[in-house]
Amino acid sequence: MPTGERRRRTTRTTRTTRTVVALALVAGTAACAPLGQAAHQDAEAGMPAHLRPPAPTPTTGPVTTSPYASMWLWENPVHLTTDARGRGYAEADADVVARFAAAQGLTTVHVATPWASDTGEVADWVDATTGALHHEGIRVSVLGGDEMWLTDPSLGATWTQDALRARNVDRVQLSLEPWAQPLWHTDLPRAVAQWEAAMDAVEAELPEGVTLGIDAPYWLASTPAGPHRTLFDSVLARADHVAIVAFRDVAEGDDGILALSADARRQAGDAGVTYTVALETDSPRVTGGAEYTFFDDGAAVLDEQARIVDDALRDDEHYLGVAVERFRTWRDLVDPPAQRYVG
């Protein structure tokens, strides 16, 4: 039995209720009910205050169900002139991120965590963001994945050690894309073996109570990898949670989000792996076409289609909600920059 399968039997979580405190959260006057951090209780006593999860806070104000569960946060506010790992996006300030995530009813944010993330200004930002999100009762995933890990899995192991060192996070989220490498198209068995080795190296570094999430495109579930196997099985054998990437801007129809993700959702359920369904908000230039993103559709259409997905899947015990790629472009849809600074 693979290591990931053994660990998953003790760390599997079921779907959680996703709520958002409507206007009060946007104004910062209330917070979502925090999620438990029982796995870390023994270590929390000696932690700095900004690293500890919050004590339970009563929720006040009107509560509505949100279709959203998680988002990817690739940006950070650290300037390139002071740290080469910086992205210079000032609005990725920890408190801004936390307020936005809470307003959208998220339960998890995947925080991009670069190399050697336990040192320098980037470390300070990751710590502050972790603390701000936990204060809102939102789980934190350290997010990473580099093509170099495919040929040297020890690099992924080192990244994981640094990302988790003295940092109270809930999950590691892997965003590896071996299908973007030439080897995938010339020697698929070797490419898959490298991919699996990289995932295994990261999984082996996870302490008790920290789960493993993996990004996976829907088409892995329909690509054979041997008798009675698909490429998606490589993910399901290791992941506690999977983000099923189904980038389209319509929920229904033969080429819609629900239809495309169907095989992956079924296989995840059969394996007992919880999942989100991931939607895109980045520009068509980045995604390869307007049909793959809500960038040019607007926040109302994103909400409408996310709600259709959520309504269709809410009775599936393995479904956690809709995930959104990515913070910067999603925030611009919800609160366009031209309006954000008026007045």
Side-chain angles (χ1 to χ4, degrees):
M1 184 183 297
T3 302
E5 181 69 19
R6 289 197 300 271
R7 185 173 58 81
R8 189 166 63 244
R9 293 183 186 277
T10 63
T11 60
R12 175 76 60 232
T13 58
T14 57
R15 182 184 180 187
T16 58
T17 302
R18 303 183 306 279
T19 60
V20 55
V21 181
L23 298 177
L25 278 174
V26 176
T29 59
C32 295
L35 303 169
Q37 299 290 325
H40 302 289
Q41 285 178 350
D42 291 341
E44 287 170 10
M47 282 185 176
H50 74 282
L51 294 182
R52 292 197 298 268
T57 302
T59 299
T60 59
V63 178
T64 58
T65 301
S66 168
Y68 302 113
S70 56
M71 74 174 176
W72 286 265
L73 170 62
W74 291 104
E75 303 80 13
N76 67 55
V78 178
H79 202 279
L80 275 168
T81 58
T82 60
D83 192 321
R85 300 165 298 170
R87 294 293 178 265
Y89 182 58
E91 294 184 61
D93 173 81
D95 289 336
V96 174
V97 169
R99 286 196 300 270
F100 179 83
Q104 302 308 316
L106 302 185
T107 58
T108 304
V109 173
H110 310 313
V111 180
T113 308
W115 186 255
S117 64
D118 56 337
T119 62
E121 287 189 44
V122 163
D124 295 339
W125 172 78
V126 174
D127 288 343
T129 303
T130 298
L133 289 167
H134 277 159
H135 182 72
E136 296 288 355
I138 297 168
R139 295 186 184 99
V140 176
S141 300
V142 285
L143 168 65
D146 191 287
E147 64 184 55
M148 292 188 295
W149 300 4
L150 298 170
T151 53
D152 187 354
S154 69
L155 296 175
T158 299
W159 171 85
T160 305
Q161 293 167 2
D162 293 344
L164 298 180
R165 184 173 290 117
R167 185 171 287 143
N168 183 23
V169 300
D170 307 282
R171 183 187 304 175
V172 168
Q173 186 75 18
L174 283 183
S175 187
L176 284 168
E177 297 185 352
W179 41 87
Q181 303 304 311
L183 188 65
W184 189 267
H185 306 284
T186 59
D187 190 346
L188 181 59
R190 184 180 169 202
V192 170
Q194 289 183 349
W195 179 38
E196 292 177 336
M199 290 188 287
D200 288 342
V202 171
E203 193 278 335
E205 300 300 325
L206 301 187
E208 187 69 24
V210 176
T211 58
L212 180 63
I214 300 176
D215 299 347
Y218 71 89
W219 52 262
L220 290 178
S222 58
T223 305
H228 311 295
R229 278 183 54 82
T230 69
L231 289 175
F232 199 40
D233 288 315
S234 293
V235 174
L236 296 177
R238 294 161 173 83
D240 297 293
H241 320 273
V242 60
I244 300 173
V245 176
F247 290 167
R248 290 295 190 277
D249 64 354
V250 62
E252 299 175 309
D254 293 342
D255 197 37
I257 296 158
L258 289 168
L260 293 180
S261 65
D263 285 345
R265 292 187 281 108
R266 176 183 54 78
Q267 292 177 31
D270 289 346
V273 176
T274 55
Y275 68 87
T276 55
V277 177
L279 311 184
E280 176 67 272
T281 63
D282 215 334
S283 72
R285 178 181 57 80
V286 173
T287 64
E291 67 271 29
Y292 303 118
T293 177
F294 289 92
F295 179 90
D296 54 349
D297 297 313
V301 175
L302 170 62
D303 289 345
E304 174 191 59
Q305 297 304 306
R307 179 71 62 188
I308 292 172
V309 171
D310 192 66
D311 287 345
L313 303 180
R314 65 171 63 248
D315 291 333
D316 182 347
E317 65 177 343
H318 297 99
Y319 166 70
L320 297 179
V322 172
V324 179
E325 170 82 60
R326 55 195 290 168
F327 166 68
R328 182 171 190 165
T329 48
W330 188 15
R331 184 167 184 252
D332 285 349
L333 287 185
V334 172
D335 187 12
Q339 300 176 23
R340 195 179 303 157
Y341 302 109
V342 171

